[in-house]
PDB file of all heavy atoms in Angstrom:
ATOM      1  N   HIS A  45      -7.251  14.645   8.147  1.00  0.00           N
ATOM      2  CA  HIS A  45      -7.097  15.720   7.300  1.00  0.00           C
ATOM      3  C   HIS A  45      -6.173  16.648   7.882  1.00  0.00           C
ATOM      4  O   HIS A  45      -6.470  17.444   8.788  1.00  0.00           O
ATOM      5  CB  HIS A  45      -8.456  16.422   7.137  1.00  0.00           C
ATOM      6  CG  HIS A  45      -9.567  15.439   6.704  1.00  0.00           C
ATOM      7  ND1 HIS A  45     -10.252  14.613   7.623  1.00  0.00           N
ATOM      8  CD2 HIS A  45     -10.082  15.074   5.503  1.00  0.00           C
ATOM      9  CE1 HIS A  45     -11.085  13.884   6.957  1.00  0.00           C
ATOM     10  NE2 HIS A  45     -11.061  14.126   5.736  1.00  0.00           N
ATOM     11  N   ILE A  83      -7.740  20.251   0.642  1.00  0.00           N
ATOM     12  CA  ILE A  83      -9.050  20.553   1.147  1.00  0.00           C
ATOM     13  C   ILE A  83      -9.004  21.894   1.801  1.00  0.00           C
ATOM     14  O   ILE A  83      -8.156  22.238   2.623  1.00  0.00           O
ATOM     15  CB  ILE A  83      -9.471  19.505   2.240  1.00  0.00           C
ATOM     16  CG1 ILE A  83      -9.420  18.107   1.719  1.00  0.00           C
ATOM     17  CG2 ILE A  83     -10.901  19.861   2.643  1.00  0.00           C
ATOM     18  CD1 ILE A  83      -9.699  17.059   2.640  1.00  0.00           C
ATOM     19  N   GLU A  93      -5.501  15.379   2.340  1.00  0.00           N
ATOM     20  CA  GLU A  93      -5.965  14.020   2.733  1.00  0.00           C
ATOM     21  C   GLU A  93      -5.519  13.006   1.692  1.00  0.00           C
ATOM     22  O   GLU A  93      -5.212  13.460   0.568  1.00  0.00           O
ATOM     23  CB  GLU A  93      -7.429  13.976   2.962  1.00  0.00           C
ATOM     24  CG  GLU A  93      -8.254  14.030   1.644  1.00  0.00           C
ATOM     25  CD  GLU A  93      -9.759  13.960   1.958  1.00  0.00           C
ATOM     26  OE1 GLU A  93     -10.155  13.584   3.002  1.00  0.00           O
ATOM     27  OE2 GLU A  93     -10.524  14.162   0.907  1.00  0.00           O
ATOM     28  N   HIS A 101     -15.422  11.380  -1.611  1.00  0.00           N
ATOM     29  CA  HIS A 101     -16.308  11.713  -0.543  1.00  0.00           C
ATOM     30  C   HIS A 101     -16.319  13.197  -0.289  1.00  0.00           C
ATOM     31  O   HIS A 101     -15.425  13.921  -0.695  1.00  0.00           O
ATOM     32  CB  HIS A 101     -15.921  10.922   0.723  1.00  0.00           C
ATOM     33  CG  HIS A 101     -14.551  11.313   1.295  1.00  0.00           C
ATOM     34  ND1 HIS A 101     -13.424  10.652   1.039  1.00  0.00           N
ATOM     35  CD2 HIS A 101     -14.152  12.381   2.025  1.00  0.00           C
ATOM     36  CE1 HIS A 101     -12.409  11.185   1.660  1.00  0.00           C
ATOM     37  NE2 HIS A 101     -12.845  12.305   2.198  1.00  0.00           N
ATOM     38  N   HIS A 103     -17.573  16.212   2.984  1.00  0.00           N
ATOM     39  CA  HIS A 103     -17.389  16.361   4.412  1.00  0.00           C
ATOM     40  C   HIS A 103     -18.440  17.056   5.252  1.00  0.00           C
ATOM     41  O   HIS A 103     -19.001  18.105   4.760  1.00  0.00           O
ATOM     42  CB  HIS A 103     -16.083  17.067   4.703  1.00  0.00           C
ATOM     43  CG  HIS A 103     -14.890  16.463   4.044  1.00  0.00           C
ATOM     44  ND1 HIS A 103     -14.191  16.898   2.943  1.00  0.00           N
ATOM     45  CD2 HIS A 103     -14.171  15.370   4.537  1.00  0.00           C
ATOM     46  CE1 HIS A 103     -13.276  16.006   2.645  1.00  0.00           C
ATOM     47  NE2 HIS A 103     -13.195  15.146   3.608  1.00  0.00           N
ATOM     48  N   GLU A 114     -16.787  12.009   7.078  1.00  0.00           N
ATOM     49  CA  GLU A 114     -16.826  11.820   5.638  1.00  0.00           C
ATOM     50  C   GLU A 114     -18.045  11.170   5.111  1.00  0.00           C
ATOM     51  O   GLU A 114     -18.640  10.314   5.906  1.00  0.00           O
ATOM     52  CB  GLU A 114     -15.575  11.047   5.206  1.00  0.00           C
ATOM     53  CG  GLU A 114     -14.322  11.670   5.619  1.00  0.00           C
ATOM     54  CD  GLU A 114     -13.031  10.879   5.178  1.00  0.00           C
ATOM     55  OE1 GLU A 114     -13.208   9.729   4.889  1.00  0.00           O
ATOM     56  OE2 GLU A 114     -12.002  11.561   5.079  1.00  0.00           O
TER      57      GLU A 114
HETATM   58 MN1  LIG E 591     -11.936  13.451   3.816  1.00  0.00          MN
END
Side-chain angles (χ1 to χ4, degrees):
Chain A
H45 306 82
I83 306 175
E93 70 178 350
H101 65 260
H103 299 104
E114 303 182 336

